[in-house]
Amino acid sequence: MKNELFRKLPKVDILMKNNLLKDLMIQMDYNSFYEVVTLGIDYFRNKIKNGEIEKFSEDEIIKKIKILAKKNQERNLKNVINGTGVILHTNLGRAILNEKVADKLKQIVTGYSNLEFDLQTGERGSRYQLLEKLICKITGAEGAMIVNNNASAVILCLNEFAKNKKTVVSRGELVEIGGSFRIPEIMELSGTTLKEVGTTNKTNIKDYEKAIESSFVEEEKFNEIGVLLKVHTSNYKIIGFTDSVNKIEIAELGKKYNIITIDDIGSGVLIDYEKYGLTKEPTVQDSLKAGMDIVTFSGDKMLGGAQCGIIAGKKNLIERLKKNPFTRAFRVDKMSIAVMEEIFRYYLDEEKAIREIPVLKMLTEKSEKVNLRAEKLRDLLKNSGIDTRVVKTIALVGGGAMPDEKIISYGVAFKNDNNTLEEKFRECETPIIGRTKDNNFILDLKAIKEESFQYIVEEAKKIIL
């Protein structure tokens, strides 16, 4: 029986000439077309080998080939619908952009730009100057530059200011920043030596001062300390019997001993979230006003822009960083610069920033509005014959920011007895990502736009009905 089925399988070269596959032959290059036809035949060959089928038709093979061809032509990086309730979902690309920023980006990437061309002099310019004045205007810094992420920003600063020297950090701030990358490893890579002070839960200013005094080489009139580094523990909290040194104290200590002070605040926060009912997060402006020489932060987290690292601070120190060899390796591209210019321009007007930057809009959105969206989606699903219910949920900021912030949100819950809905929704052409809880598949509406509702309904009909 198996041998008979094997003999029935068509040859690759003959099947490639089948009129039903003519469109595929035109759309695809020869090698890709050959590959999907071969895979289609192999699919049935394996079914026969494993005794899973007793008959098949050539039309069934052609249908399978078309499915494989469609999958072959799909892009690896694709849009997804975020129904997880995590706003800055690292695995889903963190901050999203509005269409106005996307339109500006399109203009830049489809044409030439003055990336490193001075339009006034007609000579070579610097990409760092394109954003510097704007960042300084918003943050109050004397100078600023942008690199490809915040880890790079920290490495660059430590390499320039503390290479072959020591960097003082509180033990309570030796964080892991994600992807198993840890502050001590970042420091080692930059060429500085870690000098831990204090304990996990308590560090005071005397710990810093003691470390500085013990590192002074009297005979050479030289201090081995290059940087006093403060790291914002944005992705966890220590509570109870704790104490830490504030930025003003560190800044004053740095001035006293002529040591550079750096504040790595992680997420780039430029507004006071406390007045919007959220947890107080340190802002870039707060750090600079406290007297810190340098502040580093990310562009794609709470700032709401592209993946990049931003360094703001004293003008003379920023100029030194621009000349460091690491700057070439860490430099940011025209796309990120284009995005960040638009994002920073929004911050010139806080109300506009809240309205136009999606991350800020979601963070400050009232839960009542999310509830209305959830009810609307539920009703659309009900009209299509799919029963769901609106459930109260807890949305998270994500991206390693505000770890204990619980944002009231709402979602729609699908009955999920066999626990397969999560996988089926994930397999949609535009994957719909949710979460399963208590035998329910839940789509949290916090990060879902109304424009996606009709697509969700159509895909749900295919999966459930």
Side-chain angles (χ1 to χ4, degrees):
M1 180 68 175
K2 282 187 179 181
N3 289 337
E4 207 174 300
L5 290 172
F6 280 131
R7 283 194 294 270
K8 191 180 174 184
L9 289 170
K11 293 184 177 179
V12 175
D13 56 340
I14 293 175
L15 194 55
M16 287 176 72
K17 297 173 184 175
N18 191 300
N19 282 333
L20 294 175
L21 294 175
K22 189 176 180 179
D23 289 344
L24 281 186
M25 184 177 65
I26 295 169
Q27 294 168 14
M28 304 177 75
D29 64 89
Y30 178 83
N31 289 333
S32 296
F33 182 48
Y34 180 89
E35 182 182 9
V36 296
V37 172
T38 303
L39 288 172
I41 295 171
D42 285 346
Y43 174 83
F44 282 86
R45 180 176 285 112
N46 288 329
K47 288 283 186 182
I48 297 168
K49 182 180 177 181
N50 297 327
E52 296 175 19
I53 55 173
E54 295 181 356
K55 62 178 182 177
F56 65 88
S57 67
E58 191 171 276
D59 285 347
E60 288 177 296
I61 298 177
I62 289 171
K63 184 179 179 181
K64 183 63 180 177
I65 289 169
K66 288 181 176 180
I67 293 171
L68 291 169
K70 185 177 180 181
K71 191 171 184 63
N72 177 273
Q73 292 173 313
E74 287 181 355
R75 295 296 182 262
N76 292 324
L77 184 63
K78 58 178 69 176
N79 289 111
V80 304
I81 293 172
N82 178 11
T84 65
V86 181
I87 296 169
L88 290 168
H89 200 305
T90 298
N91 298 343
L92 302 184
R94 286 187 182 163
I96 60 173
L97 308 175
N98 68 21
E99 291 183 6
K100 296 173 188 175
V101 175
D103 288 342
K104 179 62 177 178
L105 182 58
K106 180 181 177 181
Q107 293 173 28
I108 294 298
V109 299
T110 58
Y112 295 99
S113 64
N114 62 322
L115 179 65
E116 290 190 347
F117 183 77
D118 192 317
L119 294 173
Q120 290 186 328
T121 65
E123 297 176 354
R124 181 168 182 166
S126 168
R127 67 183 65 200
Y128 301 107
Q129 293 176 348
L130 297 171
L131 287 176
E132 187 166 20
K133 287 183 180 179
L134 183 57
I135 296 172
C136 289
K137 185 175 182 179
I138 293 164
T139 63
E142 294 175 6
M145 64 183 292
I146 179 172
V147 291
N148 59 357
N149 60 35
N150 191 46
S152 297
V154 175
I155 290 172
L156 175 61
C157 290
L158 294 180
N159 179 262
E160 177 60 33
F161 305 128
K163 184 179 180 182
N164 299 323
K165 287 188 170 187
K166 297 177 182 178
T167 296
V168 179
V169 187
S170 166
R171 283 191 176 90
E173 297 174 3
L174 295 175
V175 301
E176 182 174 303
I177 59 175
S180 298
F181 292 102
R182 297 173 174 177
I183 287 295
E185 293 167 355
I186 296 283
M187 295 173 72
E188 184 180 357
L189 182 62
S190 69
T192 188
T193 302
L194 168 64
K195 178 70 175 177
E196 300 177 34
V197 295
T199 62
T200 303
N201 62 320
K202 294 200 78 169
T203 303
N204 57 56
I205 195 65
K206 291 181 180 178
D207 294 318
Y208 285 87
E209 193 151 20
K210 184 179 178 180
I212 295 170
E213 290 174 350
S214 65
S215 298
F216 189 78
V217 183
E218 185 64 43
E219 57 272 20
E220 298 178 21
K221 302 296 181 183
F222 172 75
N223 200 305
E224 294 179 307
I225 304 296
V227 163
L228 302 180
L229 175 65
K230 186 164 182 62
V231 182
H232 176 45
T233 55
S234 61
N235 57 1
Y236 75 97
K237 297 286 183 185
I238 298 177
I239 59 174
F241 188 57
T242 66
D243 193 16
S244 62
V245 181
N246 65 50
K247 298 170 190 183
I248 295 175
E249 292 178 292
I250 290 177
E252 288 175 350
L253 193 64
K255 288 182 178 68
K256 178 180 176 180
Y257 289 96
N258 196 29
I259 296 173
I260 293 169
T261 55
I262 299 175
D263 189 12
D264 171 17
I265 66 171
S267 295
V269 178
L270 295 173
I271 64 173
D272 181 5
Y273 280 105
E274 197 170 29
K275 63 185 177 184
Y276 296 101
L278 298 170
T279 303
K280 171 72 175 176
E281 279 285 294
T283 67
V284 179
Q285 298 94 318
D286 289 340
S287 296
L288 293 170
K289 285 176 182 176
M292 299 297 286
D293 295 317
I294 292 286
V295 184
T296 69
F297 51 100
S298 295
D300 64 337
K301 295 182 182 178
M302 295 184 72
L303 195 68
Q307 177 179 302
C308 64
I310 300 150
I311 308 170
K314 297 289 194 305
K315 181 71 174 176
N316 64 315
L317 300 181
I318 298 296
E319 292 305 313
R320 281 178 59 181
L321 291 172
K322 291 177 183 177
K323 297 172 185 175
N324 186 290
F326 266 133
T327 298
R328 174 76 179 184
F330 296 153
R331 74 177 183 177
V332 73
D333 70 346
K334 61 186 178 184
M335 292 181 283
S336 295
I337 290 173
V339 169
M340 293 313 297
E341 179 172 10
E342 298 306 305
I343 295 298
F344 276 115
R345 285 191 182 278
Y346 285 140
Y347 277 102
L348 292 170
D349 180 344
E350 186 174 309
E351 288 185 7
K352 190 172 185 180
I354 294 291
R355 188 171 65 250
E356 298 291 350
I357 300 175
V359 169
L360 273 62
K361 189 175 182 179
M362 283 186 272
L363 284 171
T364 59
E365 181 185 36
K366 299 295 184 183
S367 60
E368 293 82 0
K369 289 188 176 181
V370 186
N371 188 27
L372 288 174
R373 285 205 303 279
E375 290 177 347
K376 184 173 182 178
L377 179 56
R378 176 203 59 195
D379 292 344
L380 287 171
L381 288 163
K382 186 176 181 180
N383 291 339
S384 296
I386 300 170
D387 285 327
T388 60
R389 60 190 176 91
V390 172
V391 293
K392 193 173 185 178
T393 61
I394 297 296
L396 301 173
V397 177
M402 295 186 180
D404 55 355
E405 186 70 45
K406 304 292 188 292
I407 302 172
I408 300 299
S409 184
Y410 292 88
V412 292
F414 298 77
K415 192 65 177 173
N416 189 22
D417 293 324
N418 54 7
N419 289 319
T420 61
L421 286 185
E422 186 172 346
E423 181 180 353
K424 288 178 179 178
F425 274 99
R426 199 169 62 239
E427 290 173 347
C428 296
E429 188 171 347
T430 298
I432 301 168
I433 315 297
R435 63 176 187 264
T436 299
K437 183 180 179 182
D438 299 329
N439 292 324
N440 287 291
F441 174 67
I442 299 170
L443 290 178
D444 193 305
L445 271 293
K446 187 62 177 175
I448 297 180
K449 302 175 184 177
E450 283 197 33
E451 302 93 275
S452 301
F453 284 6
Q454 198 54 50
Y455 176 79
I456 293 172
V457 171
E458 292 304 317
E459 293 303 303
K461 286 162 62 178
K462 294 176 190 175
I463 293 168
I464 297 170
L465 298 182

